[in-house]
Structures are given as structure tokens and as C-alpha cells.
Amino acid sequence: LLSILTDIFMRDRLDELVSNQGELVTPPPIQVSDWAEKNKYIQHLVKRYNKKLGDIMKSSIDSYGKRIVPRFPPMQRRKIMDDLTAIFRYFKAATQFIHKLLVDG
């Protein structure tokens, strides 16, 4: 149950980061305590059993997330320029340079 709830939390956290990607400032990541207040599974545990079980699950998810499951890194702030044309031009120029050195001796 703990791993399933942690997975749901991580997916919800990622959904929040992706949905706010267009904004200039990346929002602070969602916290377990805030998430648990809205999560239907945690709320079901609280209603069916008691609030103490909900609190135990919140702290367990937080602890499990810090110790076992790596958090997703924040969104990148820089765009990687991955144009292959420039790379091929570089290789072409390098091979032509080496060829000229070999021919000219």
C-alpha cells in the first residue's frame, strides 16, 4: 500500500510540474501533507479507520520518498541545443583537415 500511495503522490507531483511548465517561475513542489488533504485514497483511510492512520500514512509516504524513491528533478531552466547539422559540419571539417594533413604530408 505504501509503495502504491507513494507512486500516486509522485505522479500527482509530476503532473503539477508539467501543467505549470509554461509559467516563468517553477512552483514549489507539492508537499505530502497538502496532497494527502485532497487525495481520495488517504481520505478513505481516514474515514474508514481514523485520522491517526491518515497521519501515519502521510509521514510514511514522506519518509519513504526521502529514503527509497528519488524525487524527480525540477524542470530544466536551459534548453539543450541538439541540432545535428552543426555536429556533422564539425566532423566534416575535422575529417577534411586530417585528410589535408595526410595528403600534404
Side-chain angles (χ1 to χ4, degrees), residues 43-103:
Q43 293 307 311
H44 177 73
L45 289 174
V46 169
K47 286 179 185 174
R48 183 162 184 179
Y49 298 102
N50 57 27
K51 186 176 180 339
K52 186 174 181 180
L53 180 61
D55 292 339
I56 290 171
M57 289 310 296
K58 282 192 275 187
S59 63
S60 298
I61 291 169
D62 193 38
S63 178
Y64 186 80
K66 288 178 182 174
R67 296 178 187 197
I68 308 296
V69 180
R71 300 257 171 143
F72 292 112
M75 302 303 278
Q76 286 185 337
R77 304 222 185 260
R78 296 183 187 156
K79 183 176 180 181
I80 297 172
M81 301 302 288
D82 60 348
D83 184 19
L84 292 177
T85 306
I87 295 170
F88 287 126
R89 282 190 202 137
Y90 174 80
F91 281 124
K92 181 180 177 184
T95 54
Q96 287 174 345
F97 174 74
I98 293 171
H99 182 320
K100 187 175 189 275
L101 285 177
L102 292 173
V103 170

Short mmCIF file of all heavy atoms in Angstrom, two decimals, residues 43-103:
data_model
loop_
_atom_site.label_atom_id
_atom_site.label_comp_id
_atom_site.label_asym_id
_atom_site.label_seq_id
_atom_site.Cartn_x
_atom_site.Cartn_y
_atom_site.Cartn_z
N GLN A 43 -8.04 10.01 2.20
CA GLN A 43 -9.29 10.42 2.85
C GLN A 43 -10.19 9.21 3.15
O GLN A 43 -10.86 9.18 4.17
CB GLN A 43 -10.04 11.44 1.98
CG GLN A 43 -9.32 12.77 1.86
CD GLN A 43 -8.96 13.35 3.21
OE1 GLN A 43 -9.79 13.44 4.10
NE2 GLN A 43 -7.70 13.73 3.37
N HIS A 44 -10.16 8.22 2.28
CA HIS A 44 -10.93 6.99 2.53
C HIS A 44 -10.38 6.26 3.77
O HIS A 44 -11.16 5.75 4.59
CB HIS A 44 -10.88 6.08 1.31
CG HIS A 44 -11.59 4.77 1.50
ND1 HIS A 44 -12.96 4.67 1.55
CD2 HIS A 44 -11.10 3.52 1.69
CE1 HIS A 44 -13.30 3.42 1.74
NE2 HIS A 44 -12.18 2.69 1.83
N LEU A 45 -9.06 6.19 3.90
CA LEU A 45 -8.47 5.56 5.08
C LEU A 45 -8.86 6.30 6.36
O LEU A 45 -9.16 5.67 7.37
CB LEU A 45 -6.94 5.52 4.95
CG LEU A 45 -6.37 4.55 3.92
CD1 LEU A 45 -4.86 4.75 3.80
CD2 LEU A 45 -6.69 3.13 4.29
N VAL A 46 -8.87 7.63 6.30
CA VAL A 46 -9.24 8.43 7.46
C VAL A 46 -10.70 8.18 7.84
O VAL A 46 -11.02 7.99 9.02
CB VAL A 46 -8.97 9.93 7.20
CG1 VAL A 46 -9.59 10.80 8.28
CG2 VAL A 46 -7.48 10.20 7.09
N LYS A 47 -11.57 8.17 6.84
CA LYS A 47 -13.00 7.97 7.12
C LYS A 47 -13.29 6.55 7.61
O LYS A 47 -14.08 6.36 8.51
CB LYS A 47 -13.83 8.26 5.86
CG LYS A 47 -13.93 9.73 5.55
CD LYS A 47 -14.73 9.95 4.28
CE LYS A 47 -14.72 11.42 3.91
NZ LYS A 47 -15.36 11.67 2.63
N ARG A 48 -12.65 5.58 6.98
CA ARG A 48 -12.95 4.19 7.33
C ARG A 48 -12.34 3.77 8.66
O ARG A 48 -12.94 3.02 9.42
CB ARG A 48 -12.47 3.26 6.22
CG ARG A 48 -12.82 1.82 6.51
CD ARG A 48 -12.75 0.98 5.32
NE ARG A 48 -13.19 -0.36 5.69
CZ ARG A 48 -13.28 -1.33 4.87
NH1 ARG A 48 -13.00 -1.14 3.61
NH2 ARG A 48 -13.66 -2.51 5.27
N TYR A 49 -11.12 4.24 8.93
CA TYR A 49 -10.45 3.82 10.17
C TYR A 49 -10.38 4.99 11.16
O TYR A 49 -11.23 5.13 12.00
CB TYR A 49 -9.06 3.26 9.85
CG TYR A 49 -9.16 2.03 8.98
CD1 TYR A 49 -8.91 2.09 7.61
CD2 TYR A 49 -9.54 0.81 9.51
CE1 TYR A 49 -9.02 0.97 6.80
CE2 TYR A 49 -9.67 -0.32 8.71
CZ TYR A 49 -9.40 -0.23 7.36
OH TYR A 49 -9.52 -1.33 6.57
N ASN A 50 -9.36 5.83 11.02
CA ASN A 50 -9.27 7.00 11.89
C ASN A 50 -8.23 7.98 11.35
O ASN A 50 -7.46 7.65 10.45
CB ASN A 50 -8.96 6.62 13.35
CG ASN A 50 -7.69 5.82 13.48
OD1 ASN A 50 -6.79 5.93 12.67
ND2 ASN A 50 -7.62 5.00 14.52
N LYS A 51 -8.18 9.17 11.93
CA LYS A 51 -7.26 10.21 11.48
C LYS A 51 -5.81 9.81 11.74
O LYS A 51 -4.92 10.17 10.98
CB LYS A 51 -7.58 11.53 12.18
CG LYS A 51 -6.77 12.70 11.66
CD LYS A 51 -7.20 13.98 12.32
CE LYS A 51 -6.46 15.20 11.86
NZ LYS A 51 -5.19 15.08 11.26
N LYS A 52 -5.58 9.05 12.80
CA LYS A 52 -4.22 8.64 13.13
C LYS A 52 -3.61 7.81 12.00
O LYS A 52 -2.44 7.98 11.67
CB LYS A 52 -4.21 7.85 14.44
CG LYS A 52 -2.82 7.51 14.91
CD LYS A 52 -2.84 6.85 16.27
CE LYS A 52 -1.42 6.56 16.71
NZ LYS A 52 -1.38 5.93 18.01
N LEU A 53 -4.41 6.93 11.38
CA LEU A 53 -3.90 6.13 10.27
C LEU A 53 -3.53 7.04 9.08
O LEU A 53 -2.52 6.82 8.42
CB LEU A 53 -4.92 5.09 9.83
CG LEU A 53 -4.49 4.18 8.67
CD1 LEU A 53 -3.25 3.39 9.04
CD2 LEU A 53 -5.61 3.26 8.28
N GLY A 54 -4.35 8.05 8.85
CA GLY A 54 -4.03 9.01 7.79
C GLY A 54 -2.72 9.73 8.06
O GLY A 54 -1.91 9.92 7.16
N ASP A 55 -2.50 10.13 9.31
CA ASP A 55 -1.25 10.79 9.68
C ASP A 55 -0.06 9.85 9.54
O ASP A 55 1.02 10.26 9.10
CB ASP A 55 -1.33 11.32 11.12
CG ASP A 55 -2.31 12.47 11.25
OD1 ASP A 55 -2.63 13.11 10.23
OD2 ASP A 55 -2.77 12.72 12.39
N ILE A 56 -0.25 8.59 9.93
CA ILE A 56 0.83 7.60 9.79
C ILE A 56 1.17 7.42 8.31
O ILE A 56 2.35 7.36 7.95
CB ILE A 56 0.42 6.26 10.43
CG1 ILE A 56 0.38 6.40 11.96
CG2 ILE A 56 1.36 5.14 10.01
CD1 ILE A 56 -0.22 5.20 12.67
N MET A 57 0.16 7.33 7.45
CA MET A 57 0.41 7.16 6.01
C MET A 57 1.12 8.38 5.43
O MET A 57 2.03 8.25 4.61
CB MET A 57 -0.89 6.88 5.26
CG MET A 57 -1.47 5.51 5.52
SD MET A 57 -0.31 4.13 5.34
CE MET A 57 0.11 4.22 3.62
N LYS A 58 0.73 9.59 5.86
CA LYS A 58 1.38 10.81 5.37
C LYS A 58 2.86 10.80 5.72
O LYS A 58 3.72 11.04 4.86
CB LYS A 58 0.72 12.06 5.97
CG LYS A 58 -0.57 12.44 5.31
CD LYS A 58 -1.03 13.82 5.74
CE LYS A 58 -1.80 13.73 7.02
NZ LYS A 58 -2.41 15.00 7.41
N SER A 59 3.17 10.51 6.98
CA SER A 59 4.58 10.52 7.39
C SER A 59 5.34 9.35 6.76
O SER A 59 6.52 9.49 6.44
CB SER A 59 4.70 10.49 8.91
OG SER A 59 4.16 9.31 9.43
N SER A 60 4.66 8.24 6.54
CA SER A 60 5.32 7.10 5.89
C SER A 60 5.65 7.41 4.44
O SER A 60 6.73 7.07 3.95
CB SER A 60 4.42 5.86 5.96
OG SER A 60 4.19 5.49 7.28
N ILE A 61 4.72 8.05 3.73
CA ILE A 61 4.98 8.42 2.33
C ILE A 61 6.12 9.41 2.26
O ILE A 61 7.01 9.29 1.41
CB ILE A 61 3.70 9.00 1.69
CG1 ILE A 61 2.65 7.91 1.52
CG2 ILE A 61 4.01 9.65 0.34
CD1 ILE A 61 1.27 8.43 1.15
N ASP A 62 6.13 10.38 3.16
CA ASP A 62 7.22 11.36 3.18
C ASP A 62 8.56 10.69 3.45
O ASP A 62 9.55 10.94 2.76
CB ASP A 62 6.91 12.43 4.23
CG ASP A 62 7.80 13.64 4.08
OD1 ASP A 62 8.09 14.04 2.95
OD2 ASP A 62 8.19 14.20 5.13
N SER A 63 8.60 9.81 4.45
CA SER A 63 9.84 9.12 4.80
C SER A 63 10.28 8.18 3.67
O SER A 63 11.45 8.15 3.30
CB SER A 63 9.63 8.32 6.08
OG SER A 63 10.80 7.62 6.41
N TYR A 64 9.34 7.43 3.12
CA TYR A 64 9.64 6.51 2.02
C TYR A 64 10.17 7.29 0.81
O TYR A 64 11.12 6.87 0.16
CB TYR A 64 8.37 5.74 1.65
CG TYR A 64 8.53 4.64 0.63
CD1 TYR A 64 9.03 3.41 1.00
CD2 TYR A 64 8.16 4.83 -0.70
CE1 TYR A 64 9.16 2.39 0.08
CE2 TYR A 64 8.30 3.82 -1.63
CZ TYR A 64 8.79 2.60 -1.24
OH TYR A 64 8.93 1.60 -2.15
N GLY A 65 9.56 8.44 0.55
CA GLY A 65 10.00 9.26 -0.57
C GLY A 65 11.39 9.82 -0.38
O GLY A 65 12.15 9.99 -1.34
N LYS A 66 11.76 10.13 0.85
CA LYS A 66 13.09 10.68 1.11
C LYS A 66 14.17 9.61 1.12
O LYS A 66 15.32 9.86 0.75
CB LYS A 66 13.10 11.43 2.44
CG LYS A 66 12.35 12.73 2.38
CD LYS A 66 12.35 13.41 3.72
CE LYS A 66 11.55 14.70 3.66
NZ LYS A 66 11.40 15.31 4.97
N ARG A 67 13.83 8.41 1.56
CA ARG A 67 14.85 7.36 1.73
C ARG A 67 14.96 6.40 0.56
O ARG A 67 16.05 5.96 0.23
CB ARG A 67 14.55 6.56 2.99
CG ARG A 67 14.65 7.38 4.23
CD ARG A 67 14.30 6.58 5.43
NE ARG A 67 14.25 7.45 6.60
CZ ARG A 67 14.29 7.01 7.81
NH1 ARG A 67 14.36 5.74 8.05
NH2 ARG A 67 14.24 7.86 8.82
N ILE A 68 13.84 6.05 -0.05
CA ILE A 68 13.85 4.99 -1.05
C ILE A 68 13.67 5.52 -2.47
O ILE A 68 14.43 5.18 -3.36
CB ILE A 68 12.72 3.96 -0.75
CG1 ILE A 68 12.77 3.47 0.69
CG2 ILE A 68 12.76 2.82 -1.75
CD1 ILE A 68 14.01 2.69 1.06
N VAL A 69 12.68 6.34 -2.67
CA VAL A 69 12.30 6.78 -4.02
C VAL A 69 12.95 8.12 -4.31
O VAL A 69 12.72 9.09 -3.59
CB VAL A 69 10.76 6.92 -4.13
CG1 VAL A 69 10.36 7.38 -5.51
CG2 VAL A 69 10.08 5.63 -3.77
N PRO A 70 13.76 8.21 -5.37
CA PRO A 70 14.33 9.51 -5.70
C PRO A 70 13.25 10.44 -6.24
O PRO A 70 12.36 10.01 -6.97
CB PRO A 70 15.37 9.18 -6.77
CG PRO A 70 14.90 7.91 -7.37
CD PRO A 70 14.18 7.16 -6.27
N ARG A 71 13.33 11.69 -5.88
CA ARG A 71 12.37 12.67 -6.37
C ARG A 71 12.75 13.08 -7.79
O ARG A 71 13.91 13.05 -8.16
CB ARG A 71 12.39 13.92 -5.49
CG ARG A 71 12.04 13.63 -4.06
CD ARG A 71 10.64 14.04 -3.79
NE ARG A 71 10.24 13.57 -2.47
CZ ARG A 71 9.47 14.26 -1.68
NH1 ARG A 71 9.06 15.44 -2.02
NH2 ARG A 71 9.10 13.76 -0.53
N PHE A 72 11.74 13.47 -8.55
CA PHE A 72 12.02 13.97 -9.89
C PHE A 72 12.74 15.29 -9.76
O PHE A 72 12.39 16.12 -8.93
CB PHE A 72 10.73 14.19 -10.67
CG PHE A 72 10.02 12.92 -11.00
CD1 PHE A 72 8.81 12.61 -10.41
CD2 PHE A 72 10.56 12.03 -11.90
CE1 PHE A 72 8.15 11.44 -10.71
CE2 PHE A 72 9.91 10.86 -12.21
CZ PHE A 72 8.70 10.56 -11.61
N PRO A 73 13.75 15.52 -10.61
CA PRO A 73 14.45 16.80 -10.53
C PRO A 73 13.53 17.92 -11.01
O PRO A 73 12.60 17.68 -11.77
CB PRO A 73 15.64 16.62 -11.48
CG PRO A 73 15.21 15.56 -12.42
CD PRO A 73 14.28 14.66 -11.65
N PRO A 74 13.80 19.15 -10.57
CA PRO A 74 13.00 20.27 -11.07
C PRO A 74 13.18 20.43 -12.58
O PRO A 74 14.14 19.93 -13.16
CB PRO A 74 13.54 21.48 -10.31
CG PRO A 74 14.83 21.06 -9.75
CD PRO A 74 14.83 19.57 -9.65
N MET A 75 12.25 21.12 -13.18
CA MET A 75 12.30 21.31 -14.64
C MET A 75 13.58 22.06 -15.01
O MET A 75 14.04 22.93 -14.28
CB MET A 75 11.09 22.12 -15.10
CG MET A 75 9.76 21.47 -14.73
SD MET A 75 9.55 19.80 -15.33
CE MET A 75 9.05 20.13 -16.98
N GLN A 76 14.13 21.72 -16.17
CA GLN A 76 15.35 22.37 -16.63
C GLN A 76 15.08 23.83 -16.95
O GLN A 76 14.03 24.18 -17.48
CB GLN A 76 15.89 21.69 -17.87
CG GLN A 76 16.53 20.37 -17.61
CD GLN A 76 17.16 19.81 -18.87
OE1 GLN A 76 16.79 20.17 -19.97
NE2 GLN A 76 18.11 18.94 -18.70
N ARG A 77 16.05 24.65 -16.65
CA ARG A 77 15.91 26.08 -16.93
C ARG A 77 16.58 26.46 -18.25
O ARG A 77 16.45 27.56 -18.71
CB ARG A 77 16.50 26.88 -15.80
CG ARG A 77 15.88 26.55 -14.46
CD ARG A 77 15.64 27.80 -13.68
NE ARG A 77 15.15 27.49 -12.35
CZ ARG A 77 13.89 27.56 -12.02
NH1 ARG A 77 13.00 27.91 -12.89
NH2 ARG A 77 13.50 27.27 -10.80
N ARG A 78 17.33 25.54 -18.83
CA ARG A 78 18.01 25.81 -20.10
C ARG A 78 17.58 24.81 -21.14
O ARG A 78 17.37 23.64 -20.86
CB ARG A 78 19.53 25.71 -19.92
CG ARG A 78 20.07 26.72 -18.98
CD ARG A 78 21.56 26.61 -18.90
NE ARG A 78 22.05 27.49 -17.84
CZ ARG A 78 23.17 27.33 -17.22
NH1 ARG A 78 23.94 26.32 -17.51
NH2 ARG A 78 23.55 28.17 -16.30
N LYS A 79 17.51 25.28 -22.37
CA LYS A 79 17.16 24.40 -23.46
C LYS A 79 18.44 23.87 -24.07
O LYS A 79 19.38 24.62 -24.33
CB LYS A 79 16.35 25.16 -24.51
CG LYS A 79 15.89 24.29 -25.63
CD LYS A 79 15.02 25.06 -26.60
CE LYS A 79 14.59 24.14 -27.72
NZ LYS A 79 13.76 24.85 -28.68
N ILE A 80 18.48 22.59 -24.30
CA ILE A 80 19.65 21.97 -24.91
C ILE A 80 19.53 22.11 -26.42
O ILE A 80 18.52 21.71 -27.02
CB ILE A 80 19.76 20.48 -24.51
CG1 ILE A 80 19.95 20.37 -23.01
CG2 ILE A 80 20.88 19.80 -25.28
CD1 ILE A 80 19.89 18.96 -22.48
N MET A 81 20.54 22.68 -27.03
CA MET A 81 20.56 22.82 -28.48
C MET A 81 21.14 21.53 -29.07
O MET A 81 22.33 21.26 -28.93
CB MET A 81 21.40 24.04 -28.89
CG MET A 81 20.90 25.35 -28.31
SD MET A 81 19.20 25.72 -28.77
CE MET A 81 19.41 26.15 -30.47
N ASP A 82 20.31 20.75 -29.70
CA ASP A 82 20.75 19.46 -30.20
C ASP A 82 20.62 19.35 -31.71
O ASP A 82 20.22 18.35 -32.24
CB ASP A 82 19.98 18.33 -29.51
CG ASP A 82 18.49 18.43 -29.75
OD1 ASP A 82 18.05 19.46 -30.25
OD2 ASP A 82 17.78 17.47 -29.44
N ASP A 83 21.02 20.41 -32.41
CA ASP A 83 20.96 20.43 -33.87
C ASP A 83 22.10 19.58 -34.42
O ASP A 83 23.28 19.88 -34.23
CB ASP A 83 21.07 21.87 -34.37
CG ASP A 83 20.92 21.96 -35.87
OD1 ASP A 83 20.38 21.01 -36.47
OD2 ASP A 83 21.33 22.99 -36.44
N LEU A 84 21.75 18.50 -35.11
CA LEU A 84 22.77 17.59 -35.65
C LEU A 84 23.52 18.18 -36.84
O LEU A 84 24.63 17.76 -37.13
CB LEU A 84 22.12 16.27 -36.03
CG LEU A 84 21.61 15.43 -34.86
CD1 LEU A 84 20.93 14.17 -35.36
CD2 LEU A 84 22.74 15.06 -33.93
N THR A 85 22.94 19.15 -37.49
CA THR A 85 23.60 19.77 -38.64
C THR A 85 24.94 20.37 -38.22
O THR A 85 25.95 20.17 -38.91
CB THR A 85 22.70 20.85 -39.25
OG1 THR A 85 21.43 20.29 -39.54
CG2 THR A 85 23.29 21.42 -40.52
N ALA A 86 24.97 21.08 -37.12
CA ALA A 86 26.21 21.69 -36.65
C ALA A 86 27.24 20.63 -36.28
O ALA A 86 28.44 20.78 -36.53
CB ALA A 86 25.92 22.59 -35.45
N ILE A 87 26.79 19.53 -35.69
CA ILE A 87 27.71 18.45 -35.32
C ILE A 87 28.32 17.81 -36.57
O ILE A 87 29.53 17.57 -36.63
CB ILE A 87 26.97 17.41 -34.46
CG1 ILE A 87 26.54 18.04 -33.13
CG2 ILE A 87 27.84 16.18 -34.21
CD1 ILE A 87 25.62 17.19 -32.30
N PHE A 88 27.49 17.56 -37.58
CA PHE A 88 28.01 16.97 -38.82
C PHE A 88 28.97 17.91 -39.54
O PHE A 88 29.96 17.47 -40.12
CB PHE A 88 26.87 16.56 -39.74
CG PHE A 88 26.14 15.33 -39.27
CD1 PHE A 88 24.77 15.34 -39.10
CD2 PHE A 88 26.83 14.16 -38.98
CE1 PHE A 88 24.09 14.21 -38.68
CE2 PHE A 88 26.16 13.02 -38.53
CZ PHE A 88 24.79 13.05 -38.39
N ARG A 89 28.70 19.21 -39.50
CA ARG A 89 29.63 20.18 -40.10
C ARG A 89 30.99 20.12 -39.40
O ARG A 89 32.04 20.19 -40.05
CB ARG A 89 29.06 21.59 -40.01
CG ARG A 89 28.02 21.89 -41.02
CD ARG A 89 27.68 23.38 -41.02
NE ARG A 89 26.37 23.55 -41.61
CZ ARG A 89 25.43 24.34 -41.16
NH1 ARG A 89 25.64 25.08 -40.11
NH2 ARG A 89 24.28 24.42 -41.75
N TYR A 90 30.96 19.99 -38.09
CA TYR A 90 32.20 19.91 -37.32
C TYR A 90 32.99 18.67 -37.71
O TYR A 90 34.20 18.73 -37.96
CB TYR A 90 31.87 19.90 -35.82
CG TYR A 90 33.08 19.67 -34.95
CD1 TYR A 90 33.96 20.70 -34.67
CD2 TYR A 90 33.35 18.42 -34.42
CE1 TYR A 90 35.07 20.50 -33.87
CE2 TYR A 90 34.45 18.20 -33.62
CZ TYR A 90 35.31 19.24 -33.35
OH TYR A 90 36.41 19.03 -32.57
N PHE A 91 32.31 17.51 -37.78
CA PHE A 91 33.01 16.28 -38.17
C PHE A 91 33.54 16.35 -39.59
O PHE A 91 34.63 15.88 -39.89
CB PHE A 91 32.08 15.06 -38.02
CG PHE A 91 31.94 14.58 -36.60
CD1 PHE A 91 30.70 14.48 -36.02
CD2 PHE A 91 33.05 14.24 -35.86
CE1 PHE A 91 30.56 14.05 -34.72
CE2 PHE A 91 32.93 13.80 -34.55
CZ PHE A 91 31.68 13.71 -33.97
N LYS A 92 32.76 16.95 -40.48
CA LYS A 92 33.20 17.09 -41.87
C LYS A 92 34.45 17.96 -41.94
O LYS A 92 35.43 17.61 -42.62
CB LYS A 92 32.08 17.70 -42.71
CG LYS A 92 32.44 17.87 -44.17
CD LYS A 92 31.29 18.47 -44.96
CE LYS A 92 31.70 18.70 -46.40
NZ LYS A 92 30.65 19.37 -47.16
N ALA A 93 34.45 19.08 -41.23
CA ALA A 93 35.62 19.97 -41.23
C ALA A 93 36.83 19.27 -40.61
O ALA A 93 37.95 19.40 -41.10
CB ALA A 93 35.29 21.25 -40.47
N ALA A 94 36.62 18.50 -39.55
CA ALA A 94 37.73 17.80 -38.90
C ALA A 94 38.32 16.74 -39.82
O ALA A 94 39.55 16.62 -39.92
CB ALA A 94 37.25 17.17 -37.59
N THR A 95 37.46 15.97 -40.50
CA THR A 95 37.99 14.95 -41.41
C THR A 95 38.68 15.57 -42.61
O THR A 95 39.70 15.05 -43.08
CB THR A 95 36.87 14.00 -41.88
OG1 THR A 95 35.81 14.75 -42.45
CG2 THR A 95 36.35 13.16 -40.74
N GLN A 96 38.16 16.69 -43.11
CA GLN A 96 38.83 17.37 -44.23
C GLN A 96 40.20 17.90 -43.79
O GLN A 96 41.17 17.82 -44.55
CB GLN A 96 37.96 18.52 -44.75
CG GLN A 96 36.76 18.06 -45.54
CD GLN A 96 35.83 19.20 -45.92
OE1 GLN A 96 35.92 20.29 -45.39
NE2 GLN A 96 34.93 18.92 -46.86
N PHE A 97 40.28 18.41 -42.58
CA PHE A 97 41.55 18.91 -42.06
C PHE A 97 42.57 17.78 -41.93
O PHE A 97 43.72 17.91 -42.36
CB PHE A 97 41.32 19.58 -40.70
CG PHE A 97 42.58 20.00 -40.01
CD1 PHE A 97 43.29 21.11 -40.45
CD2 PHE A 97 43.07 19.29 -38.92
CE1 PHE A 97 44.45 21.50 -39.81
CE2 PHE A 97 44.24 19.67 -38.29
CZ PHE A 97 44.94 20.78 -38.72
N ILE A 98 42.14 16.64 -41.40
CA ILE A 98 43.04 15.50 -41.24
C ILE A 98 43.46 14.96 -42.61
O ILE A 98 44.63 14.64 -42.83
CB ILE A 98 42.38 14.41 -40.38
CG1 ILE A 98 42.22 14.91 -38.94
CG2 ILE A 98 43.18 13.11 -40.39
CD1 ILE A 98 41.39 14.02 -38.05
N HIS A 99 42.51 14.89 -43.53
CA HIS A 99 42.82 14.44 -44.88
C HIS A 99 43.85 15.33 -45.53
O HIS A 99 44.83 14.88 -46.15
CB HIS A 99 41.54 14.40 -45.73
CG HIS A 99 41.72 13.89 -47.11
ND1 HIS A 99 42.79 14.18 -47.92
CD2 HIS A 99 40.95 13.06 -47.86
CE1 HIS A 99 42.68 13.59 -49.08
NE2 HIS A 99 41.55 12.90 -49.07
N LYS A 100 43.72 16.65 -45.39
CA LYS A 100 44.66 17.61 -45.97
C LYS A 100 46.05 17.42 -45.34
O LYS A 100 47.06 17.47 -46.06
CB LYS A 100 44.16 19.02 -45.75
CG LYS A 100 45.00 20.07 -46.46
CD LYS A 100 44.37 21.42 -46.30
CE LYS A 100 45.02 22.44 -47.15
NZ LYS A 100 46.10 23.15 -46.88
N LEU A 101 46.09 17.18 -44.04
CA LEU A 101 47.39 16.96 -43.39
C LEU A 101 48.07 15.70 -43.93
O LEU A 101 49.28 15.67 -44.13
CB LEU A 101 47.21 16.84 -41.88
CG LEU A 101 46.95 18.12 -41.10
CD1 LEU A 101 46.71 17.78 -39.61
CD2 LEU A 101 48.09 19.09 -41.22
N LEU A 102 47.29 14.64 -44.15
CA LEU A 102 47.85 13.39 -44.66
C LEU A 102 48.30 13.52 -46.11
O LEU A 102 49.35 12.98 -46.49
CB LEU A 102 46.82 12.26 -44.53
CG LEU A 102 46.47 11.81 -43.10
CD1 LEU A 102 45.33 10.82 -43.12
CD2 LEU A 102 47.71 11.22 -42.43
N VAL A 103 47.54 14.23 -46.92
CA VAL A 103 47.89 14.39 -48.34
C VAL A 103 49.11 15.29 -48.50
O VAL A 103 50.01 15.00 -49.29
CB VAL A 103 46.68 14.94 -49.13
CG1 VAL A 103 47.09 15.35 -50.55
CG2 VAL A 103 45.57 13.93 -49.17
#
